[in-house]
Amino acid sequence: MEFFCYHRDRPGSLPLREELTEAHWSYMDGYAKELIARGPTFAADGETPTGSVHIVDLPDPAAARAFAFDEPNYQAGAYRDVLLRRWRNLLGRTMWDFPGGRTGGNRYLVLGLGAGPAADLDVPPDRDELIAYGPLLSDDGATWLGTAVLLRAADADVARAVLAADRYADVEVHEWEFGGRR
């Protein structure tokens, strides 16, 4: 089962995150085979972290909750909340298989939080710029709750346009970059 996990930073958490960098990476190293995508999100300045995305393949919702809540930054209080949802990998690949590579161009996380009937269940035609794409689902996988996308785009407006404009209660766009050890 695939899960989307987005830890959102507490304001002023940067010093704590910097202190815990190795602990965080070591924790994620333990999930290297299960990770589909990972990486930090940033404020408009492009430098201040605002969160951390992890898309991971785990046996069940209990394992996903353990993954999310045992993470060192979460345990230390660097994060203010966690969005954890089942997810379906519509691209069938990991971020490391993205043809555009780790660098180059602007990268974004686009989160469409659902309202009503499911939307954007088909991969958009311009899939070359998509790094990860799939629906957010309830724990049992039966209810559509939104869509999560990692992509390369010219700017935040172009990134936002990957989702249907009128099908979401809210759409968030965050600057994002490939995570992991450099």
Side-chain angles (χ1 to χ4, degrees):
M1 290 180 192
E2 298 156 333
F3 294 88
F4 176 87
C5 180
Y6 183 41
H7 292 95
R8 296 174 194 267
D9 283 33
R10 289 186 188 283
S13 66
L14 182 57
L16 182 57
R17 281 186 60 140
E18 288 173 341
E19 178 183 323
L20 294 169
T21 297
E22 182 56 36
H24 169 77
W25 283 351
S26 292
Y27 182 79
M28 291 303 154
D29 288 348
Y31 290 93
K33 292 179 182 174
E34 292 85 5
L35 284 166
I36 296 166
R38 67 185 284 192
T41 58
F42 296 93
D45 66 11
E47 294 184 20
T48 305
T50 58
S52 190
V53 172
H54 297 94
I55 303 174
V56 62
D57 191 355
L58 295 168
D60 54 48
R65 284 189 286 281
F67 169 84
F69 298 113
D70 289 345
E71 193 280 334
N73 287 319
Y74 181 83
Q75 288 290 308
Y79 299 132
R80 68 176 167 90
D81 62 54
V82 179
L83 173 65
L84 181 62
R85 296 284 184 260
R86 284 270 305 269
W87 186 76
R88 188 172 308 123
N89 186 353
L90 296 183
L91 297 179
R93 65 178 186 223
T94 72
M95 73 178 200
W96 297 277
D97 300 321
F98 172 59
R102 289 184 61 95
T103 60
N106 302 316
R107 313 293 174 103
Y108 297 94
L109 163 65
V110 181
L111 281 176
L113 304 176
D120 296 313
L121 294 177
D122 295 321
V123 177
D126 186 14
R127 69 184 286 143
D128 292 344
E129 298 300 311
L130 299 175
I131 299 165
Y133 186 95
L136 299 169
L137 304 165
S138 58
D139 275 359
D140 64 4
T143 304
W144 177 84
L145 302 172
T147 306
V149 184
L150 298 172
L151 77 158
R152 179 173 59 186
D155 58 41
D157 290 336
V158 171
R160 165 62 184 89
V162 75
L163 298 181
D166 60 346
R167 298 298 301 276
Y168 296 90
D170 189 29
V171 175
E172 302 174 14
V173 178
H174 305 271
E175 292 186 20
W176 173 82
E177 71 178 34
F178 275 52
R181 297 183 187 274
R182 289 166 179 72

